[in-house]
Amino acid sequence: MKFLKLSLFLCILFTTTHSFSQNTNMSKASLPIDKKTNCFIRYHYYPNLEAYFDNLKMVYYYFEDGDWQTSEELPTNYGGYSLFNKTKVIITDYDEENPQQFLKVHKKKYPYNAKGRFSKAKTSSN
C-alpha cells in the first residue's frame, strides 16, 4: 500500500511538472500568423487601459509612475476592470519586442470609446 501511494504521488508530481514546463516554453512559431501582414499575432492592445498583452511571454505592458511596467497581472489600480467585457485590438502588423513604442499610433488608430466599439477599425471583442 505504501508503494502504491508513493507511486501515485510521483506520477502526479511528474505530470504537473511536465505540464508546467510545456506552458512556459512557448515559442514564437506556436503563435498564429496574420495572412495579410505575415506577422505573428503576438500582442493585444487595450485602448481604455493603454496597455498591451504579450501572448508569447504571457505578460502585460502598462504605463505606471512615469515608466513602462511588465507584469503577469494588471496592478490593483485597475481593479474592477474586466478584460473580457471590454474591447481588445489584435495587433497584426508588429511581432517584435516593445510594442509600447507604437502607443501614439495605436491611440490615434484605436481611440478609447466607453462603449467598447470602433467605427472604422477591425477589432476583436470578448
Side-chain angles (χ1 to χ4, degrees):
M1 188 68 171
K2 201 174 199 181
F3 177 74
L4 182 62
K5 287 181 181 180
L6 180 62
S7 298
L8 182 61
F9 174 75
L10 290 175
C11 183
I12 291 172
L13 180 66
F14 175 74
T15 304
T16 56
T17 305
H18 183 67
S19 66
F20 282 125
S21 67
Q22 285 181 343
N23 290 339
T24 58
N25 291 334
M26 249 183 109
S27 69
K28 202 171 188 179
S30 65
L31 296 173
I33 296 177
D34 183 61
K35 293 177 182 177
K36 290 182 181 177
T37 61
N38 204 27
C39 287
F40 291 101
I41 299 175
R42 181 172 174 180
Y43 297 105
H44 291 166
Y45 170 62
Y46 295 93
N48 36 345
L49 296 177
E50 296 181 2
Y52 295 90
F53 179 74
D54 186 343
N55 286 315
L56 183 61
K57 295 181 180 179
M58 303 302 284
V59 295
Y60 292 94
Y61 300 104
Y62 55 92
F63 196 72
E64 185 177 66
D65 298 328
D67 199 18
W68 282 95
Q69 307 294 322
T70 304
S71 175
E72 292 180 359
E73 296 179 3
L74 289 171
T76 55
N77 60 335
Y78 290 112
Y81 179 82
S82 173
L83 294 172
F84 302 105
N85 291 335
K86 299 296 181 182
T87 300
K88 68 179 176 184
V89 179
I90 297 173
I91 305 299
T92 59
D93 58 354
Y94 184 75
D95 60 6
E96 300 299 320
E97 300 295 324
N98 303 318
Q100 57 271 31
Q101 67 182 330
F102 297 107
L103 181 64
K104 288 182 182 179
V105 173
H106 292 147
K107 282 173 66 173
K108 187 173 182 179
K109 191 173 182 180
Y110 311 109
Y112 168 71
N113 184 332
K115 294 182 181 179
R117 298 184 187 98
F118 293 97
S119 58
K120 60 183 177 179
K122 186 176 180 182
T123 64
S124 171
S125 296
N126 286 9

